Amino acid sequence: MSRIEERLGEMGVTLPNLPTPIANYVPAKRAGNLVFTAGQVSAVEGRAYKGKLGAALSIEDGCAATRACVINCLAAIKSVIGSLDHIKQIVAVHGLINSTQDFDGQAIAMNGASDFLVDIFGEAGKLEFLSLCLCRISRGINGNGCRRYIVQRVMQL
């Protein structure tokens, strides 16, 4: 077991099996020394985050949903690089947040992902992030609110 997976275990986190993609894409792709992840499910250990931030979901739910996405992203990355110990630096997280039009806490919700990555990787987990509000994502697949959260993770190996 890698030291990163040991750290996750200390945090009570187990990486899940990857779900089958719902379209013609791969969950993660390596390009040189970078790994990019596709949209990931905002569900972990049987808990799916459905709804909109600012309506059915709270900021705390949004932070938990982005954390769930990171867990699923790490599983996707592991499937490509073998060991999470090969990650040298988290570069960026970009998220599309399903929220009401008047909700303005998207960055706070995305910080749930950022804080979790720093908890796992320390200084190497510090990153830049972008959070955007969407009122709807196609096929009912939403950000912090549905079974899927669109997040792109770029990691230097």
Side-chain angles (χ1 to χ4, degrees), residues 131-152:
S131 57
L132 299 174
C133 168
L134 293 180
C135 294
R136 179 173 161 79
I137 299 174
S138 68
R139 296 179 56 130
I141 297 171
N142 302 3
N144 294 350
C146 198
R147 355 183 253 101
R148 207 132 158 101
Y149 183 78
I150 307 302
V151 70
Q152 181 181 33

Side-chain angles (χ1 to χ4, degrees), residues 42-62:
S42 63
V44 67
E45 297 176 1
R47 169 78 200 266
Y49 296 89
K50 297 182 180 184
K52 291 181 180 282
L53 287 178
L57 296 178
S58 68
I59 287 283
E60 293 78 16
D61 292 328

Side-chain angles (χ1 to χ4, degrees), residues 43-141:
V44 67
E45 297 176 1
R47 169 78 200 266
Y49 296 89
K50 297 182 180 184
K52 291 181 180 282
L53 287 178
L57 296 178
S58 68
I59 287 283
E60 293 78 16
D61 292 328
C63 290
T66 61
R67 182 181 186 273
C69 291
V70 167
I71 292 167
N72 293 317
C73 284
L74 291 174
I77 291 163
K78 182 180 176 190
S79 75
V80 171
I81 65 172
S83 170
L84 296 178
D85 288 347
H86 296 306
I87 295 172
K88 293 181 181 175
Q89 178 70 50
I90 310 300
V91 178
V93 173
H94 299 165
L96 304 176
I97 310 296
N98 184 30
S99 56
T100 61
Q101 288 183 339
D102 60 341
F103 181 79
D104 64 358
Q106 291 84 6
I108 296 168
M110 282 303 298
N111 203 50
S114 298
D115 286 346
F116 186 56
L117 286 164
V118 171
D119 288 345
I120 298 165
F121 292 97
E123 284 296 309
K126 290 192 175 178
L127 50 87
E128 74 79 22
F129 75 74
L130 171 68
S131 57
L132 299 174
C133 168
L134 293 180
C135 294
R136 179 173 161 79
I137 299 174
S138 68
R139 296 179 56 130
I141 297 171

